[in-house]
Amino acid sequence: ATYTQQDSSPGTIFLSVASLPYPVYLELVALLNAPTKVHNDWKTLAARLDLSTDEILSYDEEGMRSSSVLRYMADQDKPISELVGHLQSMERHDVLKVLTENGFHPDRNPKPPRRVQEARRSSMLGDARS
């Protein structure tokens, strides 16, 4: 199952982690920073995103922890559906509940609108030519 924000206006199906409302972001940070008995916290999420051990240690030393991981996802324009997939694999139902309670619903398949896909393709081609 994937999650999308409930909205009927065109172009809102694909949502980046950067589009999370700030209060929701703060709840996610608090839950992911809290230690868990099965070690499925922010460090597990960071590892699933292929962040290096040095990056993870740096986030820990800075005290930024899950905030830095979510910021990394936002900077990489990662979709909320990817975050949800990781949270589901980590069995973080508490964090998923926050998303559900704030308008993100299961069993939808978010894809970038065509114009977003085309813009990304143009951007990547432009970057490759530079």
Side-chain angles (χ1 to χ4, degrees):
T2 55
Y3 286 56
T4 59
Q5 187 171 22
Q6 187 175 15
D7 192 333
S8 59
S9 57
T12 58
I13 292 175
F14 173 79
L15 292 174
S16 166
V17 169
S19 67
L20 285 170
Y22 192 63
V24 174
Y25 166 84
L26 289 177
E27 280 189 76
L28 299 182
V29 166
L31 289 170
L32 289 167
N33 278 347
T36 63
K37 292 179 184 176
V38 293
H39 304 289
N40 60 350
D41 58 7
W42 70 273
K43 288 182 182 179
T44 303
L45 178 60
R48 288 178 174 274
L49 293 167
D50 294 325
L51 293 173
S52 71
T53 302
D54 288 341
E55 287 172 304
I56 294 170
L57 289 173
S58 171
Y59 292 166
D60 200 14
E61 289 171 3
E62 294 169 7
M64 299 302 288
R65 299 178 179 94
S66 62
S67 177
S68 293
V69 175
L70 292 173
R71 188 174 60 240
Y72 168 83
M73 291 188 79
D75 291 347
Q76 298 296 313
D77 202 25
K78 300 284 187 184
I80 292 172
S81 60
E82 182 175 334
L83 172 62
V84 166
H86 292 304
L87 294 171
Q88 287 172 329
S89 296
M90 295 165 56
E91 298 184 8
R92 288 303 304 262
H93 305 291
D94 57 333
V95 183
L96 291 166
K97 183 178 178 185
V98 170
L99 292 171
T100 301
E101 289 173 348
N102 285 281
F104 297 88
H105 299 280
D107 302 323
R108 296 194 183 149
N109 185 20
K111 293 181 181 171
R114 186 175 198 88
R115 68 178 186 277
V116 172
Q117 291 172 337
E118 290 169 359
R120 286 188 180 147
R121 194 172 313 125
S122 296
S123 174
M124 288 183 351
L125 290 174
D127 292 345
R129 293 180 195 143
S130 302

